[in-house]
Amino acid sequence: MSNAPLVRLDGITKRFGDTVALSELSLDIAEGEFVTFLGPSGCGKSTTLRILGGFEQPTNGKVLLRGEDVTRRPPEKRNVNMVFQDYALFPHMTVRQNIGFGLELKGMGKTEIRARQDEIMSFLELDAFGDRYPAQLSGGQRQRVALARALAPDPALLLLDEPLGALDAKLRGQVQQELKSIQRRTHKTFFFVTHDQEEALTMSDRIVVMNKGKVEQDGTPEELYFQPATRFVAEFIGETNLLHGELRGTEGDTAVMDWFGQTLRGTAPAGLPVAGQPVTASVRLERLGFHAARPETANAVQGRVTGKTFLGSRMALDIAVEQAQGATLRAYTDAGTGQALSGDVPVWIGWDEASMAILRD
C-alpha cells in the first residue's frame, strides 16, 4: 500500500448563501480504510460526501484522488461510486440488470459484463436472485444489490450515504457486520456517513466526528469513545459521567483537577486552559469499579447507591458521592454485583487515570 493518501481534502469550504456548511476541512483517507463521518443533522457530513462524489462543488479548496485534482470533474469522470439510503435501484430491472447498468455505461462488452456480474453476484451471495426484481427482495437483499451495483465497476472509493437507514433494528445489526466483512474482503476504501454512533463504532477503522462544519475529533472508535477531546464528542458518542472541576495543572500527558476537594487525575489533550480555570472530565460508565475499601487507583471516591436499573446481563447504578456535595455518578456493573450493593452501606468507586479524559471545551 502506498504511503500517499487515496483521497486528500485540502481546505474545503462550502457555503450555501450565508450558511457555511463546511469550513476549511482538510483530511487524508488512506487506501483500504473504512472511514465514517459521524455527526448530527446539518454538521456537514453529507455535504462532504457529495463534494467527494462530484455532486457538489466546493466554494474553496481542492479534492485530490490518488494525487490528481478532481475538484471540478463531474461524477461520471471520477473513479468513485455511491450507495444511497433508498438504494436507488431501477424497479423495472432485474438484479442482474441493475448490477450491469454501470458496466454498460463504462462501455464494457457483453461477455465482460456477464463475467463481472457473475463474479460480483457470487461474491455477495446473490446468485439465486439474479432474475428477481427489487420489489421481490427483502430490505437486506436490496441493500446487497445496491452495494453490488456500486462495486461492480471497481471504483477506487465507495461513498455510502446512510445506506442502512431503511432497515429495521435487527436486520441493521446483521447488515453492519456483513458490510464491514465485504469491505475487508474487497480491500476497498469506504467513506460512510451516519448520525448513528453505534453504527460508526461497530464498523469503522476511523471516525471523523463533525460539528457545525468542522472536524471535532478524528480517531479510532476506541480513541473517540474512551478519550474524547471535547464535551461534544463525549456526549455525542455513548453515555458518560461529566465531572466539572478546576484544573490544578498538567504533568506531561496527565492533567490534575480538583473536584469538590478531591484530587483527580486524567489524560490531557492539547489546548487545555491554564491552572485555576474550570475544566470538565469524562469517565465512561463501564470504567468505574466498586470496592469494599479504598482502592489503589489514581481516582477514588466514596458514595451510596441511590438507584438501580436492570439491563439484563448488566445493571446501571446511580451513586451519590459523599465527598462531592450531592454530586452523582452513574456506573455499569454485572447484574450480580449490582444486586449485592445496598444503599445502606457506603461503597468505594475507583477508576484509573487512563479512564478519565480531561476535555477541551
Side-chain angles (χ1 to χ4, degrees):
M1 187 181 297
S2 170
N3 291 328
L6 173 70
V7 177
R8 171 162 287 168
L9 298 174
D10 185 8
I12 297 291
T13 295
K14 179 63 179 179
R15 298 186 184 90
F16 295 98
D18 295 332
T19 302
V20 180
L22 288 172
S23 179
E24 298 183 0
L25 173 63
S26 293
L27 185 78
D28 286 354
I29 300 173
E31 190 105 33
E33 263 195 309
F34 194 127
V35 177
T36 296
F37 259 42
L38 174 68
S41 297
C43 70
K45 58 186 187 296
S46 292
T47 300
T48 305
L49 180 140
R50 293 182 63 79
I51 287 172
L52 274 170
F55 302 101
E56 293 280 359
Q57 294 294 316
T59 307
N60 298 106
K62 293 190 296 184
V63 179
L64 297 142
L65 184 63
R66 292 197 169 119
E68 187 176 357
D69 189 345
V70 297
T71 312
R72 305 299 167 188
R73 193 173 293 178
E76 65 274 14
K77 299 295 184 180
R78 303 185 185 198
N79 191 18
V80 174
N81 227 332
M82 180 179 277
V83 177
F84 297 93
Q85 181 174 353
D86 62 359
Y87 311 139
L89 297 175
F90 299 113
H92 62 287
M93 291 185 181
T94 64
V95 167
R96 179 177 288 278
Q97 290 168 338
N98 266 282
I99 293 170
F101 181 77
L103 305 178
E104 292 177 11
L105 290 180
K106 288 186 71 173
M108 291 174 62
K110 288 184 178 180
T111 302
E112 193 178 2
I113 289 174
R114 182 80 184 186
R116 182 58 177 161
Q117 286 170 323
D118 289 343
E119 179 185 13
I120 202 74
M121 286 168 62
S122 175
F123 184 78
L124 293 178
E125 298 178 357
L126 291 167
D127 307 78
F129 307 104
D131 294 327
R132 294 191 190 181
Y133 292 89
Q136 298 172 310
L137 303 174
S138 69
Q141 290 164 350
R142 286 196 295 272
Q143 199 274 343
R144 259 190 289 160
V145 175
L147 190 60
R149 186 178 64 181
L151 286 170
D154 196 27
L157 175 67
L158 196 65
L159 308 175
L160 301 107
D161 187 11
E162 306 214 34
L164 311 185
L167 304 179
D168 62 56
K170 183 177 180 181
L171 183 57
R172 194 168 183 160
Q174 295 171 355
V175 176
Q176 284 172 9
Q177 297 299 325
E178 187 175 279
L179 193 58
K180 180 58 182 173
S181 173
I182 290 166
Q183 188 267 336
R184 284 177 176 153
R185 285 186 286 146
T186 59
H187 306 291
K188 286 295 178 186
T189 307
F190 280 23
F191 183 90
F192 191 91
V193 163
T194 185
H195 64 275
D196 187 309
Q197 51 177 288
E198 183 180 339
E199 200 163 87
L201 291 171
T202 299
M203 300 168 63
S204 314
D205 297 322
R206 178 173 153 218
I207 300 172
V208 180
V209 180
M210 295 291 290
N211 183 27
K212 298 179 181 177
K214 295 184 178 181
V215 175
E216 192 81 14
Q217 191 173 352
D218 177 358
T220 66
E222 292 81 3
E223 287 169 347
L224 267 64
Y225 186 78
F226 290 115
Q227 295 296 324
T230 68
R231 180 168 178 167
F232 178 85
V233 176
E235 292 187 300
F236 191 77
I237 298 179
E239 189 176 358
T240 195
N241 293 289
L242 294 177
L243 284 57
H244 306 287
E246 182 179 294
L247 183 67
R248 288 186 177 175
T250 57
E251 303 167 3
D253 294 333
T254 299
V256 182
M257 69 179 284
D258 178 90
W259 187 59
F260 295 101
Q262 306 296 307
T263 299
L264 303 179
R265 302 172 71 86
T267 58
L272 283 180
V274 297
Q277 294 297 308
V279 289
T280 301
S282 167
V283 187
R284 296 293 180 186
L285 280 63
E286 56 269 42
R287 290 302 203 190
L288 301 179
F290 294 92
H291 309 269
R294 184 184 178 94
E296 295 296 323
T297 59
N299 307 297
V301 296
Q302 198 172 35
R304 292 178 184 270
V305 175
T306 59
K308 301 180 181 183
T309 304
F310 180 67
L311 301 171
S313 61
R314 65 180 179 177
M315 188 173 285
L317 303 181
D318 297 308
I319 307 105
V321 180
E322 294 183 350
Q323 305 103 310
Q325 302 172 17
T328 61
L329 293 173
R330 189 167 172 84
Y332 289 138
T333 187
D334 63 272
T337 300
Q339 290 286 9
L341 292 172
S342 167
D344 298 330
V345 180
V347 64
W348 282 95
I349 304 101
W351 63 97
D352 60 26
E353 180 181 310
S355 296
M356 188 171 83
I358 312 296
L359 305 178
R360 185 184 66 246
D361 287 326

